[in-house]
Every structure is written in C-alpha cells, then in structure tokens.
Amino acid sequence: MFKRLRPFFALGLMLSVFFLGGCSNYIVLDPKGPVGAQQKDLILYSIGFMALILLVVYILFTVIVIKYRENRKDMSNWEPEQEGSKKLEILWTAIPILITIALAIPTIKTIYDLEKPPQASAHKEPIVITATAVDWKWIFSYPEQGIETVNYINIPEDRPVEFKLTSADSMSSFWVPELGGQKYAMPGMETTLYLQADHKGKFAGRNSNFNGEGFTHQIFDVNSVSQSDFDKWAKDTKSKAPELSKKQYDQLMLQGEAKKMTFSSTHLKWVDHAKDRDYAVKTRERLGVVPQNPHGSKAKDANKPEQDSHGESHSH
C-alpha cells in the first residue's frame, strides 16, 4: 500500500518545499521598477512557454500509451518492423530548433535592452553611483555630488541609476531583487548596471555571491525618495557630514562588517578599485592584519603557505 502511494508523497513533499520553503513573498515577481518588470515578464514568458511544452508532451505521451498499448483489441495497424520516417525525423529536429529560437529571441533582446537606461526614462540623465564591494560591506560613491555612504544609498524615484560596480577584494554580486537582477562586482574591473525605482520606499539589497563567512551580512538598504528630497539630502550631506579620511577608508578595507556611514567626500581621489585591484590587500599588509580564510575562521591562515607531510612549504 505504501509503495503505491510513495510517488504521491514525494510529489506532495516537492510541492510543499516549492510553495512553503521561505518563499512567502515573491518579491522578484513584484518589481518596483521598469528593469525588474522587464525581467519578470521574461521569467513568466519562459515559464509559460516551457509549461506549454510539458503539457503537449504529457498529452502525447498519454495518447500514445493508450492507443498503442500491447493488449488493445485492434492490432490491425501494428507494424513491429516499421522504421525510418523522414517526416518524423524532420519534425522532431525542427521542433527543438523552433523552441530554442522562441526562447532565445526575447532573452537576447531583454539582455541588450538592460544594458541601457530604461526606455521609459531614457530622456532623463541617470544618476551615477559607484558601488564598491569589500568583505563584507558595500561602499557607495556619488561622484557628481561628491559624497559617499556605507551600506545604504538614497536614490530619486522615477529616474535611472547607473551603478558602476567593482570590488576591492573578493568577487561579489550586487543585487536589489525588487529593482532588478544581479550583476558581478570584481576587483580590477568595472561593470555597469542600470536600475530604477518607480515608487518611494525602502528596498533590500545584498551580495548574492558567497565570498566568505561574513557573506550573509553584506547587505544594504536602497531608499527611494522624491527628487527634491534627494537633492536636499545630498546638499545637507555635502555641507554637514564629516569628510572621509584616508585612514578611515583604509580601516574599511579590513575584513568585517560595518555600520551605516555618511561622508561629505569620496575615496575616488585616492583609489579606483577598477584600476588598482591590490589596494585592499596592500593596505591589510601595511596595517599588519591577517585576512580571514573565506572558508571560515577555523580554517588555515589564508596568507600562510601550506606545508606538506615533509614540512615543506607551498604557496598558491
């Protein structure tokens, strides 16, 4: 009895995991900006298209199993030696090609569209923010406003934001699920990501690429405010917030979490991590701080050469 019901228990368990496994809020499918909306449309199109294919396959499978079962009454059209059919071979070769084309065209079009500011607000000048990932914090520079924040950003609603992503040490991935998909931030490189919020509100952002034991705390807030409130905040920050000193910035290069901070100047006058990939490593060496191994504090020292069974050292 249990063996017969086992497939149904397995199916029920899988559906329970899918619907209840921490997915009470499908924020990716409830976007707050045009970039996220375009990605949501692509996701739903792909899921719907593939569901239609599955439905057709299951219907054909059921029809064939019933119609050509071995114990059917009418065996007059059964040809056990039948083989080779040009029509069928052309058909089952053409169908996968058409499926691939139907999925590839909208996907490629969306990918290229997302490399530009959203079309609906293309007439507006994007605000530029440099996002620098450091184990395990985010540093945001506003080069036009000459200000910098740590672990939070303010952006004006209904205006595109051009994020210039880079990293001071390990590879991270910049992700604000309600506004759009993720993109990697890597040391010695710069990638660009356009996002936009159509609503005022507070959205959660994070690093979605595992890069060590502090990965879960590498999060930040995105505050979408009106253009006038953003201008006032930027002006007040420039006039009232403390300047970022090089000593403070070097402390931010150390591995560890950080609280939210606001400065009236940026680190861009000292270093551009997209061009100087070793700044954080050299800073840690200069300060005499040993970086943690990304696999945990109990793991071996990341800077210490490994020793084999003969006591000889090896470095990677």
Side-chain angles (χ1 to χ4, degrees):
M1 179 67 179
F2 178 75
K3 289 184 178 179
R4 292 183 178 180
L5 296 177
R6 191 161 52 185
F8 296 99
F9 283 123
L11 179 62
L13 182 61
M14 290 176 61
L15 292 175
S16 300
V17 170
F18 179 78
F19 286 110
L20 303 177
C23 299
S24 59
N25 189 8
Y26 297 95
I27 57 176
V28 174
L29 300 181
D30 185 23
K32 305 301 181 185
V35 176
Q38 196 170 1
Q39 292 173 336
K40 184 201 76 171
D41 291 343
L42 179 63
I43 291 171
L44 294 180
Y45 167 78
S46 301
I47 292 175
F49 192 81
M50 290 184 283
L52 177 63
I53 294 171
L54 281 176
L55 180 64
V56 172
V57 169
Y58 286 136
I59 290 175
L60 289 175
F61 176 77
T62 304
V63 170
I64 291 173
V65 166
I66 295 175
K67 185 175 181 179
Y68 297 102
R69 66 190 186 279
E70 187 177 9
N71 62 348
R72 68 186 189 277
K73 297 178 179 178
D74 183 11
M75 300 288 285
S76 59
N77 61 345
W78 185 47
E79 300 179 27
E81 302 301 327
Q82 184 181 11
E83 62 180 21
S85 171
K86 287 186 179 179
K87 290 182 180 179
L88 286 177
E89 290 177 2
I90 292 173
L91 186 64
W92 62 51
T93 300
I95 288 176
I97 293 175
L98 294 175
I99 292 173
T100 303
I101 293 173
L103 289 173
I105 289 177
T107 302
I108 294 172
K109 184 179 183 302
T110 301
I111 289 173
Y112 276 93
D113 285 346
L114 296 181
E115 292 299 316
K116 299 176 290 187
Q119 190 172 5
S121 56
H123 59 287
K124 297 181 180 179
E125 187 70 21
I127 179 174
V128 178
I129 300 177
T130 299
T132 304
V134 190
D135 291 348
W136 293 279
K137 60 190 80 71
W138 288 94
I139 301 172
F140 299 100
S141 309
Y142 295 72
E144 295 172 5
Q145 290 73 21
I147 58 178
E148 189 154 298
T149 62
V150 177
N151 288 342
Y152 84 94
I153 49 175
N154 287 345
I155 62 173
E157 67 170 332
D158 200 27
R159 180 177 170 185
V161 182
E162 180 182 352
F163 287 99
K164 295 183 178 298
L165 310 176
T166 188
S167 174
D169 39 34
S170 57
M171 185 171 77
S172 303
S173 186
F174 181 92
W175 190 27
V176 186
E178 288 177 278
L179 300 185
Q182 62 176 325
K183 202 160 195 177
Y184 287 114
M186 295 165 279
M189 298 181 64
E190 182 178 277
T191 52
T192 301
L193 174 67
Y194 287 98
L195 294 177
Q196 179 177 319
D198 283 345
H199 308 273
K200 294 178 184 176
K202 183 177 181 180
F203 312 114
R206 63 168 304 111
N207 166 29
S208 59
N209 184 59
F210 178 76
N211 62 345
E213 63 180 359
F215 148 79
T216 54
H217 301 293
Q218 194 172 351
I219 56 178
F220 60 94
D221 291 330
V222 180
N223 302 307
S224 173
V225 298
S226 66
Q227 181 68 56
S228 59
D229 286 344
F230 174 80
D231 293 339
K232 182 178 185 302
W233 168 78
K235 185 177 180 180
D236 289 346
T237 299
K238 186 64 179 175
S239 60
K240 299 178 182 177
E243 284 194 15
L244 174 64
S245 67
K246 189 171 185 301
K247 182 178 180 181
Q248 283 178 302
Y249 188 69
D250 286 350
Q251 288 296 317
L252 289 172
M253 291 296 99
L254 305 183
Q255 287 179 308
E257 302 166 23
K259 61 182 181 181
K260 293 180 180 177
M261 301 178 187
T262 309
F263 300 102
S264 60
S265 59
T266 77
H267 72 272
L268 300 177
K269 55 187 175 184
W270 301 309
V271 59
D272 180 355
H273 294 282
K275 299 176 181 176
D276 185 356
R277 59 178 300 157
D278 296 326
Y279 182 85
V281 175
K282 292 177 181 176
T283 299
R284 291 164 188 169
E285 291 176 350
R286 177 164 47 82
L287 297 178
V289 178
V290 178
Q292 299 176 32
N293 187 284
H295 299 294
S297 57
K298 293 181 179 180
K300 52 186 175 292
D301 182 350
N303 281 349
K304 188 176 181 180
E306 294 182 4
Q307 290 188 342
D308 61 16
S309 57
H310 303 289
E312 296 178 348
S313 298
H314 301 276
S315 60
H316 298 284

